[in-house]
Amino acid sequence: MERLHVRVHRHPGATLFPLLQDVFGHRVHGVPARWRDVVRRALPAGAAAVVGPLLASRPGWIPDRLALVHDLDVHDVTTLEEELASADPALLAEEVATYHAAGIPPAWRPLLDDPAGFVTAYRCLVAAAWAAFAPLWRDADALMGRETERIGLAAVTGGLDGLLAGLGGHIRYEENILKLPHPCPGHLGELGSRPLVLMPLASGYTAGMYGADRTDALWIAYAVPGLGRITGHPGRPGHGGPKAGGDGLSLVLGPVRAEILRSLPRTPTVGELAHHLQVGVSTATYHCQHLEAAGLLRRERHGQRVRLLPTDRGTALTHLLAAPVPPRRTY
């Protein structure tokens, strides 16, 4: 962990792709209904008919260029559109055909039957969707800034393990192993010297993607904590709730561990805590072990059950950092 090189990037394509999947796939990524409707009304019918079947499916694997994350350093959608314009449709079709050599899924047929027409329709769809979504993306500026600060703080204070364990999106981190939900044959099993690129998403409460088959980076895109602040929806701990990333405790410990400390006055069991956090018992146990090692919680047996209680140190830290983070000034 001490040798891990982490970068954080606010990537418009990574946010836009799960949004498009949600528009066609019925709440796949937890996009707020109002946002989904705004984008859906803006989509050209012809382009939607061509690209829709792929976006409505759950392919598990998709070329980075079509997932809009071919270039991890892109900062604007104009560049994304230029990348799509420069893409060789025949090579994209060949890549898909090679991966699905055992049989082409129906959702990929529009691309293989007319590669150039598919790419043109996709470019049109991306441009229209972004034009509608751009104002909502700008609303997330403050959330993205705070998440960047949280990642930077975790990197310099040795808290990256807790941050990785709280990413959500079915990604689990336990004992120096990052477990991805849909391993593919092309995944590189060892991180090696590759940087880990974290990309917070401002599109849905459960949005998430990753790429593990590149030699230049392992990238993980996940729902930015605190999304509920700009959507009006409470979300859940670590996935858009008002407490996620909204105070100093979340910025220092991460939303999951911060919520654990907030829950300790109720003396929960690990199982009760996991249910409250909507995470697995093993994940809750992992976080509790680290908080206990830091002297922030303790265990106490009550009959057949082991209860979790705050220590004086944990209570003091919670009180110290529980105040909302003041807005950042610009000069």
Side-chain angles (χ1 to χ4, degrees):
M1 184 61 66
E2 61 274 10
R3 296 191 300 272
L4 180 62
H5 176 49
V6 177
R7 291 160 41 197
V8 57
H9 187 54
R10 185 186 180 201
H11 197 291
T15 279
L16 185 58
F17 183 73
L19 172 64
L20 288 172
Q21 283 188 309
D22 196 286
V23 166
F24 287 95
H26 308 294
R27 298 179 180 269
V28 173
H29 293 288
V31 174
R34 179 176 65 88
W35 292 13
R36 190 186 310 112
D37 292 342
V38 166
V39 173
R40 181 182 288 125
R41 288 194 296 267
L43 299 181
V50 173
V51 182
L54 175 62
L55 294 173
S57 69
R58 299 188 179 184
W61 167 88
I62 190 168
D64 279 357
R65 195 177 294 273
L66 293 182
L68 305 179
V69 289
H70 177 69
D71 184 349
L72 298 182
D73 294 320
V74 164
H75 293 275
D76 60 86
V77 173
T78 299
T79 305
L80 287 178
E81 294 178 27
E82 292 172 352
E83 281 191 348
L84 285 174
S86 65
D88 186 331
L91 288 179
L92 277 175
E94 181 180 347
E95 183 178 0
V96 171
T98 299
Y99 185 85
H100 293 290
I104 305 298
W108 286 106
R109 273 295 161 199
L111 171 60
L112 270 65
D113 292 344
D114 182 8
F118 181 92
V119 172
T120 298
Y122 196 47
R123 286 174 52 203
C124 180
L125 197 78
V126 167
W130 186 258
F133 185 70
L136 302 172
W137 167 261
R138 289 191 290 270
D139 287 344
D141 277 343
L143 289 180
M144 293 295 194
R146 287 183 178 176
E147 181 63 0
T148 300
E149 292 174 357
R150 185 173 79 93
I151 294 171
L153 184 61
V156 300
T157 59
L160 284 175
D161 59 339
L163 186 144
L164 295 179
L167 287 180
H170 304 295
I171 291 173
R172 293 189 297 137
Y173 175 81
E174 298 173 356
E175 299 179 355
N176 291 323
I177 298 176
L178 196 62
K179 300 181 180 180
L180 306 175
H182 304 292
C184 296
H187 283 180
L188 303 177
E190 296 291 335
L191 186 62
S193 61
R194 291 182 294 168
L196 173 62
V197 181
L198 298 178
M199 296 188 288
L201 306 178
S203 49
Y205 302 114
T206 58
M209 300 190 299
Y210 64 86
D213 55 355
R214 302 169 62 124
T215 58
D216 61 334
L218 166 66
W219 62 268
I220 297 176
Y222 60 98
V224 62
L227 191 61
R229 288 177 167 271
I230 60 174
T231 66
H233 189 285
R236 64 183 177 91
H239 292 82
K243 293 180 180 178
D247 60 16
L249 194 65
S250 295
L251 288 174
V252 172
L253 297 179
V256 175
R257 293 186 185 181
E259 186 63 18
I260 289 175
L261 287 190
R262 295 189 191 98
S263 302
L264 293 181
R266 299 193 296 271
T267 64
T269 64
V270 172
E272 292 168 349
L273 196 59
H275 177 75
H276 170 65
L277 296 171
Q278 297 185 33
V279 300
V281 172
S282 62
T283 298
T285 300
Y286 175 81
H287 287 293
C288 288
Q289 287 172 342
H290 281 263
L291 291 172
E292 185 176 22
L296 301 177
L297 68 76
R298 61 188 178 88
R299 301 167 188 267
E300 188 174 290
R301 179 168 292 280
H302 291 256
Q304 297 294 321
R305 298 186 176 184
V306 175
R307 296 282 179 182
L308 304 172
L309 292 83
T311 61
D312 291 341
R313 184 180 186 184
T315 299
L317 181 66
T318 302
H319 290 166
L320 177 65
L321 299 177
V325 177
R328 293 177 298 165
R329 294 182 179 181
T330 55
Y331 298 93

